[in-house]
Amino acid sequence: MVARSSTRPTSRDVAQAAGVSQAAVSLVLGDKWRGRVSETTAERVRHAARELGYRPNLAARNLRLGRTRTVLLVVPALTTEFFAGVYTGAARVAAEHGFGVVLYPSPEGIGPARDPFASAQAALDGVLASSMAADALTAIRGDQLPLVMLDSDPAGSLGAATVNLDIADGIRQVADHLLALGHRRVLHLAADVPSWTFDIRAKELAERLAAVPGTEIRTARAPISIDGALTATETALTAPGPRPTAVVCDDDKLAAGAYKALRRLGLRIPDDISVTGLDDLALATAIDPELTTVRLDAELFGERGMQALLAVLEGREPDGGDIPVRLVVRGSTAPPGAPR
């Protein structure tokens, strides 16, 4: 047990307790020790710091480094738990490396946003941004800082790196599930948002269904709201022609709106029509029947995004590869009923 001092401990106290130099303490607590000191030494320093209750003077250190150790997370909105999960994961990784995260929602989900700082370049070290909030970056000059994009086309990304969930595979899993059940007429309830992530959903769904003879896909666009989805679904399903046997929704909130529309039309889920979502929000198990949907790990998404931004800040190549997603089959899908 290391004796605690009555005064605020210093890095010299940590060095003395651990039996190392102050330089070694600085390397370890600044997370720059790998390849310079041993794992055993690093753990001894961390243990001494914990026992002494040592906290580095971040203000002084930041003045020396010329860095604020603050990053900005730009998201389309705070009205969905998905982006709360992204923040939670990003903030956890940031805290492990001595960084803070400022969360900034782009007004109305997309479009320009006012600069939240007098000078973002002076106040921030880097930016982590969802593609749906990309238009906000120019206004806050975030595109002139080290930038990692989430949910963004790697071929046309503004950032030094992109981190994506494997949305395309998620849509393929949905399509294959419905096709295996026997569905051939599908309504795609598409988010009316100009974003790569929604473009890729439409593209993959159309391609997967087109590969099977006799399939038909109809598209209805709706804002990401329950009322918007209700109206769009009701309009699409009362149009002339054979009724779709399945509704594929771009996210779970749209699916909840579709549920309301189907009940207004006197249709049973899944007896008369199947419904799928995408996100696996808490909403998915709150509605009845519970929703078949694609589970996206929002916290892991945030973690991987922050890890990529830290790598960019340190001049390293971020890890590649999309984050796997998984279809969760529940009670909202079944083989199609008799044609009407």
Side-chain angles (χ1 to χ4, degrees):
M1 175 73 73
V2 177
R4 289 179 181 264
S5 168
S6 59
T7 59
R8 178 172 175 156
T10 66
S11 61
R12 180 176 297 176
D13 297 325
V14 176
Q16 185 175 5
V20 299
S21 67
Q22 279 185 266
V25 171
S26 178
L27 287 171
V28 173
L29 299 184
D31 199 32
K32 296 179 179 179
W33 59 271
R34 292 170 183 83
R36 302 186 186 185
V37 301
S38 69
E39 173 68 50
T40 302
T41 299
E43 181 52 39
R44 198 162 68 242
V45 170
R46 288 191 291 262
H47 176 75
R50 285 193 301 269
E51 287 292 310
L52 289 168
Y54 173 73
R55 295 290 182 272
N57 186 337
L58 291 178
R61 182 171 68 181
N62 292 340
L63 285 173
R64 292 194 300 272
L65 295 175
R67 296 173 63 178
T68 63
R69 301 188 76 80
T70 302
V71 299
L72 185 69
L73 173 60
V74 185
V75 298
L78 297 180
T79 54
T80 170
E81 69 197 65
F82 178 79
F83 291 108
V86 172
Y87 170 79
T88 299
R92 180 163 52 237
V93 170
E96 290 170 357
H97 293 81
F99 277 75
V101 178
V102 176
L103 182 61
Y104 188 64
S106 176
E108 303 303 324
I110 58 173
R114 288 183 300 176
D115 188 346
F117 303 100
S119 172
Q121 285 178 286
L124 300 168
D125 288 326
V127 177
L128 191 60
S130 161
S131 64
M132 285 191 287
D135 288 346
L137 295 175
T138 302
I140 64 174
R141 302 181 68 81
D143 54 346
Q144 298 181 29
L145 286 161
L147 170 66
V148 167
M149 295 297 298
L150 303 175
D151 230 10
S152 180
D153 182 0
S157 174
L158 298 169
T162 59
V163 176
N164 286 322
L165 294 152
D166 198 346
I167 296 294
D169 184 58
I171 293 296
R172 288 191 289 268
Q173 291 179 52
V174 168
D176 290 351
H177 171 64
L178 293 174
L179 289 168
L181 289 172
H183 293 278
R184 295 297 181 267
R185 296 193 307 275
V186 172
L187 171 66
H188 178 205
L189 188 55
D192 192 12
V193 177
S195 171
W196 173 84
T197 188
F198 293 120
D199 291 344
I200 206 73
R201 296 170 207 214
K203 175 178 177 292
E204 289 297 328
L205 182 62
E207 289 182 357
R208 204 67 169 182
L209 295 179
V212 176
T215 57
E216 175 189 329
I217 184 169
R218 190 184 305 175
T219 300
R221 298 192 176 278
I224 304 179
S225 71
I226 291 175
D227 287 345
L230 187 160
T231 301
T233 304
E234 200 167 19
T235 300
L237 293 182
T238 53
R243 192 181 69 219
T245 62
V247 182
V248 174
C249 303
D250 270 354
D251 83 349
D252 293 351
K253 186 180 284 188
L254 292 178
Y259 268 47
K260 294 185 73 172
L262 295 172
R263 292 210 165 94
R264 283 192 183 186
L265 295 171
L267 297 172
R268 298 165 301 166
I269 306 167
D271 307 71
D272 299 316
I273 193 161
S274 290
V275 181
T276 67
L278 197 147
D279 273 343
D280 200 24
L281 305 176
L283 177 67
T285 53
I287 54 180
D288 185 37
E290 294 187 355
L291 182 66
T292 294
T293 187
V294 176
R295 178 169 295 163
L296 309 180
D297 191 332
E299 289 193 21
L300 178 59
F301 194 27
E303 288 177 4
R304 285 277 299 273
M306 185 57 64
Q307 287 164 354
L309 181 55
L310 292 172
V312 169
L313 291 173
E314 294 171 5
R316 296 184 287 108
E317 185 70 24
D319 294 337
D322 291 346
I323 300 169
V325 302
R326 179 170 67 87
L327 179 70
V328 181
V329 178
R330 299 193 180 102
S332 68
T333 49
R340 293 187 180 183

